[in-house]
Amino acid sequence: MHIHEYQAKTLFSRNNIKTPKGVLIANTKEASKACSELGGGIWVVKAQVHAGGRGKGGGVILCYDVEAVENACEKLLGSQLITPQTDAKGLPVNQLLIEAGQNIKQELYLGLLVDRQTQKITVLASLEGGMDIEKVASETPDKIIKFGVDPLGTLSLQDCDSIAQQLNLTEMLTEQFNQTLLSLYEIFTTKDASLIEINPLIVTVENTLLALDGKIDFDDNALYRHEDIIELRDTSQEDEKEKEAGEYQLNYISLDGTIGCMVNGAGLAMATMDLIEHHGGSPANFLDVGGGTTAQRVAKAFELIQTEANVGGVLVNIFGGIVRCDLIAEGILQAIEKVGLSLPIVVRLEGTNAQQGLALLSGSKYNIYTEADLTQAAIKIVALSQEQSK
Ligand code: GDP
Ligand code: MN
């Protein structure tokens, strides 16, 4: 689960990580009051969306008077913000964080994540933080310091010290850096985060370390034990299709490819996607309709896949272990009745009542290709969807 910058900063402040003073608003009318509350003569208006790269997308606006703040609010509120990290549609801006502008001497990067390769919670730190951190990581990876925390131990003050030393921080900054990193680690572990980033972590002209930005992702599987985190959810930032799928207990993730997949079981879904790739295609989605699925759920799943803009063909791959294949076939036919069939479709059924299911489909008035063999099914759908795109 993702949260907004302002929510991450609230968590930071509660854990003694310094952040700029800020006020959250949802209406331009609140802007001038926010400015006087914050004081000073420079303000930053920041769009609250679940994506980074806002600076590059025009979602972070530096203002030198109240009128400019109001103009920025007017421009951003109610708009869709497109950044290098969003899709072409962007994300809706419903809230803005207005902050007291800071005098930046240096922008650092500090992050924590679960490194799958080393299987450790890993600290990432760099002196070259800011909006081009991705470029630093790909072109000059040496400039990013990595430290894997011993899974049987914890992050110690000495560990923080050695990271600060590698960054060549002054003694005064080292103390603040250690405090910040220890607090981040505390948040990461107690709240079951999967990623925390402060980019930039700034050094102000007064030599104070401040978290100028904040990003926290949480492990969905652990949310059940964090009521306070669940409350931070903002569904306006979530993918419509994924949300709709969730309401039907469908596990759906939109992808960039052209072949829609409907599969039961996450493992089989992954294998199906691999097979599509192996035969020269690319999946448009990941979809696990679940083990004990119903005809109604299958119909919904089919509808979701077919209405995905880039889909050029659909591959259904069901192994009838708990679920009966004839039921799945009925669901597919129901869905076609409802939303029509505008795309080539290949259905592979195997397991309980597979023969009845396949017979139902091939005996229908629709043009449905049936296959008992998964490899053949994958080859067929790749060929059909390529023809479709010609
Ligand atoms: P992101 O682009 O979504 O990561 O948004 P950030 O919150 O990181 O802001 C982007 C950039 O805006 C930062 O890297 C800073 O360079 C700049 N910025 C943000 N707040 C301030 C501020 O208070 N003062 C100044 N001078 N620059 C700021
Ligand atoms: Mn940032």
Side-chain angles (χ1 to χ4, degrees):
M1 190 183 104
H2 306 299
I3 60 170
H4 286 294
E5 173 196 12
Y6 80 92
Q7 296 167 323
K9 282 176 165 169
T10 305
L11 274 171
F12 288 168
S13 307
R14 265 190 225 145
N15 287 273
N16 299 319
I17 297 171
K18 287 208 181 87
T19 59
K21 271 202 294 179
V23 175
L24 187 77
I25 68 158
N27 193 313
T28 303
K29 282 189 205 132
E30 304 160 65
S32 73
K33 186 164 160 258
C35 292
S36 40
E37 241 177 271
L38 294 169
I42 305 176
W43 299 278
V44 188
V45 178
K46 308 186 79 178
Q48 297 301 290
V49 292
H50 283 184
R54 295 165 303 165
K56 289 189 169 158
V60 177
I61 304 176
L62 220 59
C63 303
Y64 297 92
D65 57 52
V66 177
E67 199 188 334
V69 170
E70 284 176 334
N71 289 340
C73 295
E74 200 57 44
K75 185 171 161 232
L76 289 173
L77 277 173
S79 73
Q80 292 282 125
L81 186 72
I82 300 165
T83 85
Q85 292 182 23
T86 68
D87 61 16
K89 228 169 64 227
L91 287 168
V93 183
N94 302 318
Q95 293 166 305
L96 301 172
L97 179 63
I98 303 185
E99 284 190 336
Q102 303 301 315
N103 262 327
I104 303 174
K105 194 157 92 180
Q106 196 175 7
E107 300 197 356
L108 318 186
Y109 173 96
L110 182 61
L112 277 170
L113 52 79
V114 181
D115 182 349
R116 284 161 195 258
Q117 223 151 27
T118 58
Q119 303 183 358
K120 287 175 178 171
I121 295 176
T122 298
V123 180
L124 298 176
S126 177
L127 284 183
E128 305 212 4
M131 293 201 280
D132 288 317
I133 189 70
E134 282 85 7
K135 200 167 150 213
V136 176
S138 70
E139 288 174 12
T140 45
D142 296 355
K143 291 187 174 163
I144 297 182
I145 292 155
K146 274 192 181 187
F147 178 86
V149 183
D150 177 2
L152 297 178
T154 185
L155 183 74
S156 69
L157 188 59
Q158 284 87 330
D159 297 333
C160 298
D161 249 336
S162 95
I163 297 167
Q165 219 164 57
Q166 289 177 66
L167 288 172
N168 276 324
L169 295 183
T170 61
E171 203 172 312
M172 190 173 146
L173 284 176
T174 295
E175 204 174 308
Q176 297 179 60
F177 178 84
N178 291 352
Q179 166 67 40
T180 304
L181 183 49
L182 286 175
S183 298
L184 271 196
Y185 186 77
E186 174 76 11
I187 298 172
F188 195 96
T189 48
T190 57
K191 299 293 180 191
D192 292 307
S194 54
L195 172 90
I196 304 190
E197 257 185 356
I198 304 181
N199 185 35
L201 173 68
I202 60 160
V203 183
T204 65
V205 289
E206 298 87 18
N207 277 322
T208 309
L209 269 191
L210 274 186
L212 203 67
D213 191 8
K215 174 181 167 121
I216 310 182
D217 291 345
F218 297 94
D219 179 351
D220 290 346
N221 294 312
L223 279 178
Y224 72 94
R225 56 184 184 195
H226 301 291
E227 288 282 343
D228 56 331
I229 302 299
I230 294 172
E231 275 173 22
L232 304 179
R233 186 170 169 196
D234 178 357
T235 52
S236 78
Q237 302 292 311
E238 295 172 10
D239 182 285
E240 278 300 323
K241 280 220 155 66
E242 289 174 17
K243 216 164 38 185
E244 208 179 328
E247 283 159 20
Y248 285 79
Q249 284 102 44
L250 297 165
N251 198 349
Y252 185 94
I253 295 164
S254 296
L255 301 168
D256 297 331
T258 57
I259 297 176
C261 312
M262 180 163 92
V263 188
N264 67 332
L268 190 58
M270 301 290 273
T272 306
M273 289 159 63
D274 282 349
L275 209 58
I276 289 172
E277 292 268 356
H278 184 71
H279 291 290
S282 60
N285 66 281
F286 167 93
L287 171 60
D288 169 14
V289 291
T293 195
T294 60
Q296 192 206 13
R297 241 198 271 166
V298 168
K300 186 71 204 177
F302 192 75
E303 192 184 325
L304 283 171
I305 294 171
Q306 268 226 114
T307 49
E308 192 80 74
N310 44 343
V311 174
V314 179
L315 175 60
V316 179
N317 179 22
I318 302 289
F319 179 80
I322 303 168
V323 65
R324 279 169 30 206
C325 292
D326 55 325
L327 251 169
I328 297 288
E330 271 173 32
I332 294 169
L333 291 173
Q334 268 177 32
I336 295 174
E337 292 286 338
K338 192 172 160 215
V339 294
L341 182 65
S342 50
L343 298 167
I345 172 170
V346 175
V347 182
R348 181 254 182 175
L349 298 175
E350 183 57 273
T352 312
N353 293 0
Q355 290 316 316
Q356 288 97 312
L358 289 171
L360 263 175
L361 294 172
S362 46
S364 79
K365 60 180 187 229
Y366 303 108
N367 198 6
I368 301 172
Y369 296 87
T370 55
E371 244 327 319
D373 181 77
L374 178 51
T375 302
Q376 289 311 317
I379 291 171
K380 183 81 186 166
I381 193 60
V382 171
L384 286 172
S385 68
Q386 275 163 0
E387 258 170 51
Q388 176 87 0
S389 66
K390 269 182 198 156

